[in-house]
Structure formats: C-alpha cells, structure tokens
Amino acid sequence: MKGLIATLVIVVVLAATVFFAWIGKSDNEVVLRENTISQMEVCSAKFDEMFKSIAQIAQVPTAMMETSKEAFKEIYQPLIEGRYQNKDGEQKDVLMSWVQESNPTFDMSASTELYSKVQTVIEVKRTEFFNEQKKLIAYHQAHTVFCSTFVNKNFFMMGDRLIDRCKGEVDADDEDYVFCVQIIKSANTDNTYRTGQE
C-alpha cells in the first residue's frame, strides 16, 4: 500500500511539474509572439509617420490625403530601399510627381527646396524604419528559436506556433489573412543573394 501511495505521489508531482512547465513555456511563447506582432505594428506606424511628415512638407490638402496615401504606398518601398537614389535623379522625379498629384496647387518652382526638405525627412525616417525592422527581425528570431528547440517543439508542441514570413503582397483586411512577418528589403539585395553577384 505504501508503495502504491509513493508511486501515486511521484506521478502527481511529475504531472504537476510538466503541467506548470508547459504553462511557463506557453506564457513565454505568448510574450515572444506579442513582441513580434507589436513590432510589426510599429513598422506599419513608421509608414504612416513618413507619409504624414512628407505630406505636411508638400502641403497635401486634407481632402486629398486618402488618395495621396494610396499613391504614396507605390513609392514607399523604393524610398525605404533607397532604390531611386542615383545620379540621374530618379527619386526626385518620382517624389515630385507624387507631390504634384497630391497637391495640384503646389508651386513647382519651389521644388528644389521642397525636394531637399523631403530628402532630409526620408533619410531620417529610413534610418528609424530600419532600426524598427531590426527589432522586428530580432523578435521574430527569438520566437522562432524558442518554438523550434527540440524540447519545445517535440515535447511541448510549440512547432505549430511558428510565425511565417510573408510571401508577396499581404492584405491584413482579407478574411483569410494569417499573421506573418513582413520584412521590407531591397530588390537589389534579394537579387544579389539569389545570383551571388552584386
């Protein structure tokens, strides 16, 4: 009888230990996941902040803001990538076209001064954005490593909690949307890593 009670006590203690360890692991995974989700929101807010800063400099009328913001999405990634910063002034042409479409009454004779101001804002916001992207990558990595370790993946079943990276265009408003991490990087960088040539 004493042996049965001792065995029962050991089984209960082991079950309680595993149960509380699972709770701790699950809570830790939730914290890592929420850090990643929150950081994605910070990166998204950086887009909005850059748009508002440039729109303010370009004196975009309130009535044009929504249309202007949609048009800005088209040039945002190239601006973040620095893709249009070349000696031919492509970035200036793209920016000034956006300004003219967003604010048809803007005095284009002042475009050189405006471009200089916008370029300064872009450089500052690009640096801020990349710093936030680095945090996002670090949070995503911490979550991935946590869920992928042998014990967590196989014993605590955390492998199905992994967060994928987004592939292609993402629409968070789509009813089939599943959260994924969107990393904005240069098309040049992707091509260099794919081909092995700069």
Side-chain angles (χ1 to χ4, degrees):
M1 186 69 168
K2 287 182 183 180
L4 181 61
I5 292 173
T7 303
L8 190 57
V9 167
I10 291 171
V11 168
V12 168
V13 167
L14 284 174
T17 302
V18 169
F19 176 73
F20 287 112
W22 183 83
I23 288 175
K25 296 279 188 182
S26 185
D27 288 350
N28 196 7
E29 186 275 333
V30 168
V31 169
L32 293 170
R33 172 179 291 276
E34 288 305 313
N35 283 345
T36 305
I37 291 170
S38 296
Q39 192 59 35
M40 271 286 291
E41 290 172 4
V42 168
C43 289
S44 179
K46 283 293 172 189
F47 162 81
D48 198 50
E49 184 182 342
M50 180 184 265
F51 165 74
K52 286 177 181 171
S53 297
I54 294 172
Q56 183 178 14
I57 292 169
Q59 301 165 3
V60 175
T62 306
M64 297 284 291
M65 285 297 251
E66 213 42 53
T67 305
S68 180
K69 191 171 189 176
E70 285 305 309
F72 186 73
K73 286 179 183 177
E74 297 297 317
I75 66 170
Y76 178 69
Q77 185 160 341
L79 292 177
I80 287 298
E81 293 174 356
R83 197 162 69 206
Y84 291 130
Q85 286 188 341
N86 62 29
K87 60 185 174 211
D88 298 328
E90 283 182 65
Q91 191 176 56
K92 184 174 181 177
D93 293 343
V94 170
L95 276 172
M96 298 322 289
S97 294
W98 175 81
V99 168
Q100 195 166 24
E101 289 169 9
S102 299
N103 183 1
T105 63
F106 185 78
D107 177 14
M108 289 310 281
S109 63
S111 67
T112 304
E113 182 183 337
L114 171 73
Y115 180 71
S116 178
K117 288 179 183 177
V118 169
Q119 193 60 34
T120 301
V121 168
I122 288 170
E123 290 304 317
V124 168
K125 298 302 179 189
R126 182 184 293 136
T127 301
E128 290 175 3
F129 180 80
F130 280 128
N131 288 336
E132 297 304 333
Q133 285 266 105
K134 283 192 269 184
K135 289 180 193 174
L136 175 62
I137 291 167
Y139 286 138
H140 184 244
Q141 178 187 18
H143 182 267
T144 301
V145 168
F146 180 81
C147 291
S148 300
T149 58
F150 181 82
V151 172
N152 290 345
K153 181 179 180 181
N154 297 302
F155 190 67
F156 291 106
M157 305 303 178
M158 300 279 172
D160 60 346
R161 297 186 187 190
L162 286 169
I163 301 171
D164 289 330
R165 284 202 177 185
C166 301
K167 292 170 179 65
E169 219 171 288
V170 177
D171 182 5
D173 296 329
D174 185 357
E175 62 185 45
D176 297 329
Y177 172 73
V178 175
F179 178 77
C180 57
V181 172
Q182 180 75 49
I183 305 295
I184 296 177
K185 41 186 184 170
S186 167
N188 271 351
T189 301
D190 281 345
N191 189 47
T192 300
Y193 274 93
R194 189 172 52 253
T195 63
Q197 295 179 344
E198 194 171 341

